[in-house]
Amino acid sequence: MYRVEDRHWWYQGMASITRLLIERWVQPDAPLKILDAGCGTGAAMTTYLAEYGEVTGVDLYPQAMEYSRRRKARLLARASVLDLPFVPASFDLVTSFDVLYERGVRSDATALREFARVLAPLGRVLLRLPAYDWLRGRHDERVHTRRRYTAKQLRTLLEQAGFDVEHVSYANTLLFPLAVLKRLGESLFPLKENASDLTLDTGMFNTLFRTILSSEAPLIAKFGLPFGLSVVAVGRKRS
Ligand SMILES: C[S@@+](CC[C@H](N)C(=O)[O-])C[C@H]1O[C@@H](n2cnc3c(N)ncnc32)[C@H](O)[C@@H]1O
């Protein structure tokens, strides 16, 4: 991730989508206190999230801390999303991008209750997760996928954890047919065992795919898209 995420179309496209979701649904009119739960290598927290306020990153793994420090992330804690080291009502916004689906998160419901606990009343959570369990592929093995989600499942989980769901949408919709073909191809013609989608050299397609994915951002933020490879949601903590 650290090697590719500054230029890979998927990260850049998802960043455009996330920005618009924040601008439309969080509408920050003052700097926010943000927790990036499962911050990975610190890319989001040190780039676009930092434009909306003060960002604290949490991740379970030492390598994540190391890479985030290389990116000059200041506020970091090595901890699990299942047991966050913060007092209640510490943050205005919790973001968590592609984390709750991991085998390292024993219970997504517990993690969401932790997010609700550390949020101020009426604070918001912004989630992104991989969609549809039937789409599991080789990449899922490499990134330790426990489960993939439908919009309905994510909505229910958020509601049960104490959030009012303000917006749910699929994302990465236009490239969906291509991805489905690729996943089907993988099961028919297995390739290298340790390959992941991030190691794909998309070459000249990088710009094209980035443009396609970024073009979905206004539709996702305003109306929502009916299917896709990822699912995104915005929830507001009940007061
Ligand atoms: C696919 S990466 C996503 C990283 C980052 N959010 C991003 O969008 O690039 C998943 C991250 O979740 C972290 N993780 C897995 N289980 C965790 C847990 N129980 N608590 C905190 N972080 C966890 C992993 O270390 C990894 O950095």
Side-chain angles (χ1 to χ4, degrees):
M1 279 165 52
Y2 185 80
R3 262 201 323 272
V4 302
E5 64 198 336
D6 291 331
R7 57 196 157 82
H8 194 285
W9 61 271
W10 190 90
Y11 286 96
Q12 295 182 336
M14 286 299 174
S16 307
I17 291 167
T18 309
R19 275 170 191 275
L20 280 199
L21 284 170
I22 293 177
E23 275 152 34
R24 182 168 175 92
W25 293 99
V26 184
Q27 297 185 345
D29 46 16
L32 303 171
K33 291 196 84 175
I34 303 171
L35 174 68
D36 192 22
C39 61
T41 66
M45 69 177 287
T46 54
T47 56
Y48 62 90
L49 283 182
E51 292 169 21
Y52 302 104
E54 180 187 78
V55 194
T56 302
V58 159
D59 204 286
L60 188 55
Y61 293 99
Q63 295 96 319
M65 298 289 100
E66 201 182 304
Y67 282 117
S68 297
R69 278 192 208 101
R70 279 197 213 173
R71 289 190 184 277
K72 311 260 184 287
R74 276 187 316 109
L75 302 171
L76 286 171
R78 187 178 162 215
S80 173
V81 292
L82 300 169
D83 187 14
L84 292 169
F86 306 106
V87 295
S90 298
F91 298 98
D92 306 307
L93 172 66
V94 174
T95 57
S96 187
F97 305 130
D98 292 294
V99 177
L100 300 186
Y101 76 98
E102 278 217 359
R103 289 202 287 267
V105 181
R106 264 190 343 274
S107 161
D108 43 16
T110 306
L112 286 174
R113 281 197 299 273
E114 267 300 83
F115 295 173
R117 183 184 68 77
V118 300
L119 274 172
L122 301 179
R124 285 193 171 85
V125 64
L126 171 51
L127 301 174
R128 181 179 67 231
L129 286 160
Y132 305 127
D133 227 27
W134 58 267
L135 262 181
R136 262 171 193 277
R138 192 182 54 202
H139 179 73
D140 288 288
E141 290 313 311
R142 292 287 294 151
V143 299
H144 312 145
T145 301
R146 186 174 48 81
R147 66 179 285 198
R148 301 175 63 106
Y149 296 75
T150 63
K152 194 169 165 209
Q153 287 166 340
L154 191 52
R155 179 181 282 281
T156 305
L157 271 169
L158 278 165
E159 284 169 354
Q160 287 170 347
F163 292 96
D164 289 324
V165 179
E166 294 184 310
H167 190 61
V168 183
S169 173
Y170 287 97
N172 206 354
T173 300
L174 298 171
L175 293 169
F176 188 83
L178 212 61
V180 172
L181 283 178
K182 180 176 168 293
R183 297 276 154 105
L184 285 176
E186 277 170 24
S187 50
L188 294 176
F189 310 103
L191 293 174
K192 274 191 293 179
E193 216 162 65
N194 65 349
S196 111
D197 288 358
L198 289 184
T199 59
L200 282 183
D201 180 9
T202 47
M204 65 184 214
F205 289 108
N206 202 48
T207 312
L208 176 66
F209 287 175
R210 186 186 60 221
T211 309
I212 293 174
L213 184 56
S214 304
S215 74
E216 294 180 1
L219 290 173
I220 290 169
K222 194 160 182 197
F223 306 110
L225 291 173
F227 63 91
L229 289 159
S230 290
V231 54
V232 294
V234 181
R236 188 164 213 191
K237 180 177 169 173
R238 283 186 212 116
S239 51

